[in-house]
Amino acid sequence: MTHTLHAVSLNELIGTALLHHPTLQALEAKIEAKQSDIHIADRFENPQLLMTHDTLDDSQAMHKSVVSIKQKIPFFHKRDSKKEVFKAEQEILQAEVRTLKAQLVMQIKTQAYILWKLKASSHILARYIALTKKSITLNTAYTATDANGQMDIAKAKLSLAQLQIQKSTLEGKTAAAYARLSYLAAIPVKHLKIDLKMGTKPNLRSLRQTIQNSPDLLIQAKKVLKQNRELEREKLGSYPDINLMAGYASRDHFDDYYQFGMGIRLPIYGREKLAKEKARAMLMVAKTQKIDTKSSLSATLQSYYTQMLSSYQIYHIVQDQALPQIAYMSQLSGTAVSSGADLFRYIDVLFQKLTLEQKRIEAIADYHFYKAKLAQLKGAIK
């Protein structure tokens, strides 16, 4: 396993995971195993070799030892039909690999975005801790004997402790996020190189067009194809297979002779009809599941789009409206503190600004979370 001592990018992690993740490797092995099933289906069943010897006296004409061989010859197209079913199963597995890859990429992206969110939040907390400490130190010089000023300093120190607790909590969550990311990427990750910005406003029409080739839909389409082939296979089941037999009988005191025969299975108990009815029912189930999957994808797409749009709107409310206003308030209260005025009011403004900056970070992260989920719906692996 490769150790990542340097900072790695998100694309590097995704590329490594797609090559080395154990779950993907296991599914690829199943696809190879299914290829063996296809080759087996194309071959005849092994012949049966039979040897018989009776207990009659060897002077009797009926006494003999017989060696015979029996070979089953499937009805025309039966082997091809069975092979086509296995091919359809292999195609389902291949579609499942694509789905699993898209899911893995989404999980890696999501975990990376969580890390960005935690690191960005920790960075601004460090900045606000420094500002709070500086304000406490400055205000202490002005209010050494002022009872009200001492109360403001005490409240400010309590706010400082809350900030430090938040920062310590974020550090613990960051370590846990790196552990989860290491598992998903199949390599130990210590440093992630990532920078997120708010993207463009999402467009529902274009998003709907992107999921037309969703791997989930592809899987259901392949299952319908498989059930169609199963039905064709069961239809051929009504036609009997032929068993060819040949034998050589050896007698001690009489002439040896050959035996030839042919056997067929008689479809008189209705098993084949029941098997066809079952195959038709399973085909209907597969078609219904395909329709249901399409409806589910549409609903999921709508949900992700709404969340993504909400994050976009929240970001711009904070960035374009709230932060400029709070910056003006912060400037006024900061000037007042530098003159020995109300420290608590300044700290309150700082906390309001911190809350807004945290909301901005959360909006950016959420925007990319749902963008990654939408990319998974269409099977993206980048």
mmCIF file of all heavy atoms in Angstrom, residues 20-37:
data_model
loop_
_atom_site.group_PDB
_atom_site.id
_atom_site.type_symbol
_atom_site.label_atom_id
_atom_site.label_comp_id
_atom_site.label_asym_id
_atom_site.label_seq_id
_atom_site.Cartn_x
_atom_site.Cartn_y
_atom_site.Cartn_z
ATOM 1 N N HIS A 20 -7.526 0.280 -7.105
ATOM 2 C CA HIS A 20 -7.111 -0.627 -6.035
ATOM 3 C C HIS A 20 -8.178 -0.936 -4.992
ATOM 4 O O HIS A 20 -7.902 -1.735 -4.087
ATOM 5 C CB HIS A 20 -5.892 -0.031 -5.303
ATOM 6 C CG HIS A 20 -4.719 0.231 -6.195
ATOM 7 N ND1 HIS A 20 -4.029 -0.787 -6.831
ATOM 8 C CD2 HIS A 20 -4.114 1.385 -6.574
ATOM 9 C CE1 HIS A 20 -3.049 -0.264 -7.554
ATOM 10 N NE2 HIS A 20 -3.079 1.047 -7.426
ATOM 11 N N HIS A 21 -9.365 -0.359 -5.089
ATOM 12 C CA HIS A 21 -10.338 -0.626 -4.032
ATOM 13 C C HIS A 21 -10.763 -2.099 -4.059
ATOM 14 O O HIS A 21 -11.121 -2.639 -5.115
ATOM 15 C CB HIS A 21 -11.567 0.276 -4.185
ATOM 16 C CG HIS A 21 -12.345 0.388 -2.915
ATOM 17 N ND1 HIS A 21 -13.249 -0.556 -2.516
ATOM 18 C CD2 HIS A 21 -12.342 1.330 -1.933
ATOM 19 C CE1 HIS A 21 -13.776 -0.207 -1.357
ATOM 20 N NE2 HIS A 21 -13.239 0.934 -0.984
ATOM 21 N N PRO A 22 -10.743 -2.785 -2.908
ATOM 22 C CA PRO A 22 -11.032 -4.232 -2.873
ATOM 23 C C PRO A 22 -12.419 -4.604 -3.411
ATOM 24 O O PRO A 22 -12.574 -5.638 -4.067
ATOM 25 C CB PRO A 22 -10.923 -4.567 -1.376
ATOM 26 C CG PRO A 22 -10.049 -3.504 -0.807
ATOM 27 C CD PRO A 22 -10.345 -2.271 -1.606
ATOM 28 N N THR A 23 -13.423 -3.787 -3.144
ATOM 29 C CA THR A 23 -14.777 -4.114 -3.598
ATOM 30 C C THR A 23 -14.843 -4.151 -5.118
ATOM 31 O O THR A 23 -15.481 -5.037 -5.714
ATOM 32 C CB THR A 23 -15.786 -3.089 -3.053
ATOM 33 O OG1 THR A 23 -15.670 -3.018 -1.634
ATOM 34 C CG2 THR A 23 -17.211 -3.488 -3.406
ATOM 35 N N LEU A 24 -14.195 -3.211 -5.770
ATOM 36 C CA LEU A 24 -14.171 -3.185 -7.232
ATOM 37 C C LEU A 24 -13.414 -4.388 -7.779
ATOM 38 O O LEU A 24 -13.829 -4.996 -8.777
ATOM 39 C CB LEU A 24 -13.530 -1.887 -7.730
ATOM 40 C CG LEU A 24 -14.348 -0.605 -7.549
ATOM 41 C CD1 LEU A 24 -13.525 0.604 -7.961
ATOM 42 C CD2 LEU A 24 -15.635 -0.672 -8.356
ATOM 43 N N GLN A 25 -12.316 -4.725 -7.144
ATOM 44 C CA GLN A 25 -11.530 -5.878 -7.606
ATOM 45 C C GLN A 25 -12.335 -7.168 -7.487
ATOM 46 O O GLN A 25 -12.257 -8.047 -8.359
ATOM 47 C CB GLN A 25 -10.233 -5.962 -6.794
ATOM 48 C CG GLN A 25 -9.250 -4.830 -7.084
ATOM 49 C CD GLN A 25 -7.998 -4.910 -6.237
ATOM 50 O OE1 GLN A 25 -7.993 -5.490 -5.166
ATOM 51 N NE2 GLN A 25 -6.914 -4.312 -6.720
ATOM 52 N N ALA A 26 -13.133 -7.281 -6.413
ATOM 53 C CA ALA A 26 -13.958 -8.481 -6.236
ATOM 54 C C ALA A 26 -15.015 -8.586 -7.335
ATOM 55 O O ALA A 26 -15.275 -9.672 -7.870
ATOM 56 C CB ALA A 26 -14.632 -8.446 -4.862
ATOM 57 N N LEU A 27 -15.610 -7.448 -7.706
ATOM 58 C CA LEU A 27 -16.630 -7.468 -8.750
ATOM 59 C C LEU A 27 -16.024 -7.763 -10.116
ATOM 60 O O LEU A 27 -16.629 -8.458 -10.943
ATOM 61 C CB LEU A 27 -17.370 -6.128 -8.771
ATOM 62 C CG LEU A 27 -18.782 -6.127 -9.373
ATOM 63 C CD1 LEU A 27 -19.637 -7.226 -8.771
ATOM 64 C CD2 LEU A 27 -19.448 -4.774 -9.167
ATOM 65 N N GLU A 28 -14.825 -7.252 -10.357
ATOM 66 C CA GLU A 28 -14.138 -7.561 -11.608
ATOM 67 C C GLU A 28 -13.854 -9.066 -11.698
ATOM 68 O O GLU A 28 -13.940 -9.668 -12.780
ATOM 69 C CB GLU A 28 -12.819 -6.775 -11.693
ATOM 70 C CG GLU A 28 -12.980 -5.260 -11.822
ATOM 71 C CD GLU A 28 -13.424 -4.830 -13.212
ATOM 72 O OE1 GLU A 28 -13.592 -5.707 -14.089
ATOM 73 O OE2 GLU A 28 -13.605 -3.615 -13.407
ATOM 74 N N ALA A 29 -13.531 -9.684 -10.559
ATOM 75 C CA ALA A 29 -13.287 -11.132 -10.548
ATOM 76 C C ALA A 29 -14.564 -11.895 -10.874
ATOM 77 O O ALA A 29 -14.531 -12.932 -11.551
ATOM 78 C CB ALA A 29 -12.748 -11.552 -9.184
ATOM 79 N N LYS A 30 -15.706 -11.403 -10.411
ATOM 80 C CA LYS A 30 -16.977 -12.046 -10.735
ATOM 81 C C LYS A 30 -17.261 -11.989 -12.233
ATOM 82 O O LYS A 30 -17.810 -12.929 -12.808
ATOM 83 C CB LYS A 30 -18.118 -11.351 -9.975
ATOM 84 C CG LYS A 30 -18.186 -11.698 -8.497
ATOM 85 C CD LYS A 30 -19.416 -11.068 -7.871
ATOM 86 C CE LYS A 30 -19.517 -11.423 -6.390
ATOM 87 N NZ LYS A 30 -20.723 -10.828 -5.767
ATOM 88 N N ILE A 31 -16.894 -10.872 -12.855
ATOM 89 C CA ILE A 31 -17.095 -10.741 -14.308
ATOM 90 C C ILE A 31 -16.246 -11.775 -15.049
ATOM 91 O O ILE A 31 -16.696 -12.402 -16.015
ATOM 92 C CB ILE A 31 -16.757 -9.315 -14.763
ATOM 93 C CG1 ILE A 31 -17.783 -8.321 -14.189
ATOM 94 C CG2 ILE A 31 -16.735 -9.212 -16.286
ATOM 95 C CD1 ILE A 31 -17.465 -6.869 -14.453
ATOM 96 N N GLU A 32 -15.013 -11.958 -14.597
ATOM 97 C CA GLU A 32 -14.153 -12.965 -15.220
ATOM 98 C C GLU A 32 -14.725 -14.372 -15.026
ATOM 99 O O GLU A 32 -14.671 -15.218 -15.934
ATOM 100 C CB GLU A 32 -12.743 -12.886 -14.620
ATOM 101 C CG GLU A 32 -11.991 -11.608 -15.001
ATOM 102 C CD GLU A 32 -10.591 -11.568 -14.421
ATOM 103 O OE1 GLU A 32 -10.139 -12.616 -13.908
ATOM 104 O OE2 GLU A 32 -9.947 -10.504 -14.485
ATOM 105 N N ALA A 33 -15.283 -14.612 -13.836
ATOM 106 C CA ALA A 33 -15.894 -15.921 -13.576
ATOM 107 C C ALA A 33 -17.099 -16.155 -14.482
ATOM 108 O O ALA A 33 -17.324 -17.272 -14.965
ATOM 109 C CB ALA A 33 -16.310 -16.024 -12.108
ATOM 110 N N LYS A 34 -17.845 -15.113 -14.737
ATOM 111 C CA LYS A 34 -19.016 -15.238 -15.617
ATOM 112 C C LYS A 34 -18.583 -15.551 -17.048
ATOM 113 O O LYS A 34 -19.299 -16.243 -17.784
ATOM 114 C CB LYS A 34 -19.833 -13.957 -15.570
ATOM 115 C CG LYS A 34 -21.183 -14.029 -16.262
ATOM 116 C CD LYS A 34 -22.048 -15.128 -15.667
ATOM 117 C CE LYS A 34 -22.443 -14.860 -14.237
ATOM 118 N NZ LYS A 34 -23.376 -15.903 -13.720
ATOM 119 N N GLN A 35 -17.418 -15.071 -17.442
ATOM 120 C CA GLN A 35 -16.908 -15.406 -18.771
ATOM 121 C C GLN A 35 -16.661 -16.910 -18.888
ATOM 122 O O GLN A 35 -16.893 -17.507 -19.939
ATOM 123 C CB GLN A 35 -15.602 -14.637 -19.031
ATOM 124 C CG GLN A 35 -15.046 -14.785 -20.442
ATOM 125 C CD GLN A 35 -15.986 -14.220 -21.498
ATOM 126 O OE1 GLN A 35 -16.561 -13.149 -21.322
ATOM 127 N NE2 GLN A 35 -16.148 -14.940 -22.596
ATOM 128 N N SER A 36 -16.244 -17.516 -17.792
ATOM 129 C CA SER A 36 -16.071 -18.976 -17.791
ATOM 130 C C SER A 36 -17.412 -19.673 -17.969
ATOM 131 O O SER A 36 -17.505 -20.688 -18.675
ATOM 132 C CB SER A 36 -15.418 -19.423 -16.476
ATOM 133 O OG SER A 36 -14.117 -18.877 -16.358
ATOM 134 N N ASP A 37 -18.462 -19.134 -17.346
ATOM 135 C CA ASP A 37 -19.801 -19.710 -17.528
ATOM 136 C C ASP A 37 -20.224 -19.670 -18.996
ATOM 137 O O ASP A 37 -20.866 -20.608 -19.500
ATOM 138 C CB ASP A 37 -20.829 -18.947 -16.679
ATOM 139 C CG ASP A 37 -20.694 -19.261 -15.197
ATOM 140 O OD1 ASP A 37 -20.131 -20.310 -14.873
ATOM 141 O OD2 ASP A 37 -21.162 -18.450 -14.377
#
